[in-house]
Structure formats: C-alpha cells, structure tokens
Amino acid sequence: MGNDQNGCEVSQPVGDCVLSSVQVRILEGIAAGFSSGRLSRELYLSSKTIDYHVRVMSDKLQAPNRVALVSRAFVLQILRTDSWPPRIAHEAVD
C-alpha cells in the first residue's frame, strides 16, 4: 500500500484513516496490557516514540486514553475478539 508521511509502511485502513505497521504492533501490545517501556524494549523504539504513536492513534480513533483506544479498536473490529493476546483482524488488513 506504500508509506505514510512519516515513512512508515501503511498496512491497516481504519475508516478514513490508516494505521502503520508499527502502530498495529503497538495497538496489539496496548490491548495486551503492555506498558510503553515494555513495548519500547520489544519493538526497539524509544518510549517517547511509543507514546507519540499512541497519541496519533488516539486522535485517529477519537479516544481520550489507552483504555478507550483499545475499546474503539474492538468496536471498529480492528482487533479480533476471539484471540488472546489481542490481534488485528485478518479481514481488516489490506
């Protein structure tokens, strides 16, 4: 599908916005209850970069916090309800 303006691979359409592959992995981690620190270690990114992507996704999904972000992702069927840890729905992946 290409790259977004930040150079991230675009992989997940969400309504009229798109989540990058990095944002997809961060969203899965947040849904599993991981902290920014743990996600930064696992994804080899700084915790500030993780927090930045969380803010961007929160803005895209109009969610005021992490709990609401995960909730909206389930409501919009971005995250599957039949797996643990939460994963992106295969039918939603472009």
Side-chain angles (χ1 to χ4, degrees), residues 17-71:
C17 62
V18 178
L19 297 180
S20 71
S21 59
V22 170
Q23 290 171 336
V24 165
R25 295 195 61 202
I26 292 170
L27 181 58
E28 288 176 343
I30 292 169
F34 297 165
S35 67
S36 293
R38 180 169 175 183
L39 285 169
S40 69
R41 288 188 301 276
E42 290 191 10
L43 299 177
Y44 302 101
L45 299 169
S46 74
S47 59
K48 288 186 179 188
T49 299
I50 299 293
D51 291 339
Y52 166 78
H53 283 292
V54 171
R55 279 193 314 275
V56 168
M57 288 187 290
S58 294
D59 289 345
K60 287 180 180 181
L61 299 182
Q62 299 175 347
N65 55 46
R66 286 176 178 231
V67 173
L69 176 62
V70 171
S71 177

